[in-house]
Amino acid sequence: MPQHMATDEALFLSRREWLKAAGLAGIGIAAGTAGLSAMMGRASAAPITGFPATPNDSYVLDRALTAEQEATTYTNFYEFGSSKTIWRKAQKLETDPWMVSIDGMVEEELKIDAAELITKLGSQEERLYRHRCVEAWAMAVPWAGVPFSKLVALARPTSGAKYIRMETFYDPSVAPGQKQSWYPWPYVEGITIEEGMNELALLGTGMYGKGLEKQNGAPLRCVLPWKYGFKGIKSIVKFTFTDQQPVSFWEQLAKNEYGFWANVNPEVAHPRWSQATERMLGSDNRVPTLLYNGYEEQVAGLYAGMGGIGDRLFR
Ligand SMILES: Nc1nc2c(c(=O)[nH]1)N[C@H]1C(S)=C(S)[C@@H](COP(=O)(O)O)O[C@H]1N2
Ligand SMILES: [Mo]
């Protein structure tokens, strides 16, 4: 390539234009962008790709999929406000590049761009899952992601580690909700390592055949279909392996309402909402809620030693 192209022009031409100008457009994207990033002296910035992901047919639904329009415009993301209609405000979130840390009790501490992390974790798949918010609305969604167990395998937790604490970004200049100082920002959630290794646990990267919308937690979120929705932390920046049970955002606000386990259980009412039935987004009818949100077969074994069904599943 001409000598001058490797210097100044690279700073103001877009990546694609630059690759074209430098005659690199045809060669492997990964090699091309990595080389360019190195020359430009900044973190590699390429969004997570690979959508639509390959369907994994093991996960079938007992109900119709929720319309994409419903699932992407009725969302809970308190960083952008406490109403369900914050999707426009969330567009301010810059999700590429997106640095993620893996730290704590692990053999392999890592600070890595989200797209590179997903590349390392292997191929993404699509799974149809139910989602149940503790407020009693529900949806059925085609998620994309990688099994969460792959992240555990990459991190290689040390023998004393029991839990994974996850944290959302903190930037009040982008997320107006984070200016509300009575909330314990940043949003935190946690699971046991055993839960993270369960086949159902998914590190979500997409929905409806595309990358995640910002309001749904781009670029990376947790998807735990047997637990109440608040466990499904969005826009994750940090995974910390620890021997201490993490205290979540909601648990810190109201311990009696939002427990650590938070497994879906129609028998145990939340102090403010019965959990017996749910409303699918886009419908006015209520349908029965199922134990573990219908995933008893896959996850009941995780809790067999905890005294079975009952209060502890919720708290
Ligand atoms: N960072 C963050 N993650 C979050 C929340 C939030 O407010 N902030 N809300 C939770 C709740 S209560 C639910 S029900 C789900 C909603 O996911 P959805 O908006 O994509 O349907 O996200 C969860 N993850
Ligand atoms: Mo929720």
Side-chain angles (χ1 to χ4, degrees):
M1 83 188 82
Q3 182 57 35
H4 70 275
M5 301 234 56
T7 54
D8 294 346
E9 261 99 336
L11 298 173
F12 60 80
L13 293 180
S14 80
R15 179 193 311 145
R16 202 171 296 274
E17 285 170 332
W18 187 85
L19 288 174
K20 213 154 74 186
L24 296 173
I27 72 169
I29 297 290
T33 53
L36 176 63
S37 298
M39 277 180 229
M40 293 175 70
R42 60 180 179 81
S44 95
I48 298 174
T49 53
F51 307 106
T54 312
N56 179 336
D57 298 327
S58 328
Y59 303 97
V60 291
L61 291 174
D62 60 348
R63 58 197 72 183
L65 276 182
T66 298
E68 179 179 353
Q69 164 77 10
E70 296 283 347
T72 54
T73 57
Y74 185 99
T75 60
N76 264 342
F77 205 164
Y78 276 65
E79 283 81 345
F80 296 96
S82 56
S83 79
K84 298 287 184 279
T85 55
I86 53 71
W87 65 272
R88 271 192 204 87
K89 288 190 192 155
Q91 302 317 307
K92 208 175 163 190
L93 182 64
E94 187 52 67
T95 57
D96 169 33
W98 186 270
M99 289 307 283
V100 180
S101 319
I102 299 177
D103 63 14
M105 302 174 71
V106 293
E107 305 274 0
E108 184 76 18
E109 284 212 348
L110 215 61
K111 205 165 171 139
I112 188 172
D113 183 71
E116 286 176 41
L117 174 64
I118 293 304
T119 304
K120 257 185 192 289
L121 296 181
S123 59
Q124 298 172 83
E125 51 186 81
E126 181 175 87
R127 299 184 182 185
L128 311 182
Y129 275 172
R130 292 181 287 274
H131 170 101
R132 172 62 156 77
C133 175
V134 74
E135 297 162 341
W137 57 269
M139 58 184 181
V141 171
W143 297 102
V146 294
F148 200 96
S149 61
K150 299 249 171 110
L151 184 133
V152 177
L154 179 71
R156 289 187 287 130
T158 55
S159 62
K162 277 206 179 71
Y163 303 95
I164 308 165
R165 179 187 184 277
M166 295 171 272
E167 205 176 283
T168 295
F169 74 89
Y170 178 69
D171 187 354
S173 71
V174 166
Q178 292 183 328
K179 291 185 177 139
Q180 300 180 307
S181 56
W182 57 91
Y183 288 113
W185 307 110
Y187 197 97
V188 167
E189 259 306 336
I191 53 176
T192 63
I193 293 178
E194 206 191 350
E195 288 175 327
M197 309 237 308
N198 184 273
E199 57 159 301
L200 285 180
L202 196 68
L203 188 58
T205 55
M207 254 178 152
Y208 297 94
K210 293 168 271 190
L212 283 171
E213 296 290 337
K214 295 178 179 189
Q215 63 271 25
N216 294 110
L220 274 187
R221 72 177 289 171
C222 216
V223 184
L224 306 162
W226 72 99
K227 290 181 178 285
Y228 288 113
F230 66 87
K231 299 293 293 184
I233 180 172
K234 297 179 170 182
S235 305
I236 302 170
V237 295
K238 188 150 78 163
F239 299 87
T240 305
F241 288 71
T242 165
D243 56 1
Q244 305 292 307
Q245 184 171 301
V247 179
S248 77
F249 177 84
W250 291 110
E251 192 177 358
Q252 203 163 319
L253 273 170
K255 203 177 165 59
N256 63 324
E257 298 195 14
Y258 306 98
F260 175 78
W261 299 102
N263 295 314
V264 174
N265 186 347
E267 310 264 296
V268 178
H270 176 279
R272 288 184 281 145
W273 307 285
S274 160
Q275 298 301 326
T277 62
E278 64 204 38
R279 181 183 71 84
M280 295 299 291
L281 292 187
S283 148
D284 292 329
N285 301 330
R286 298 191 76 94
V287 292
T289 287
L290 305 172
L291 182 62
Y292 296 112
N293 204 24
Y295 298 100
E296 183 171 7
E297 195 185 310
Q298 291 95 329
V299 299
L302 290 170
Y303 312 103
M306 287 177 51
I309 307 166
D311 208 43
R312 292 197 59 192
L313 294 189
F314 190 70
R315 307 243 143 71

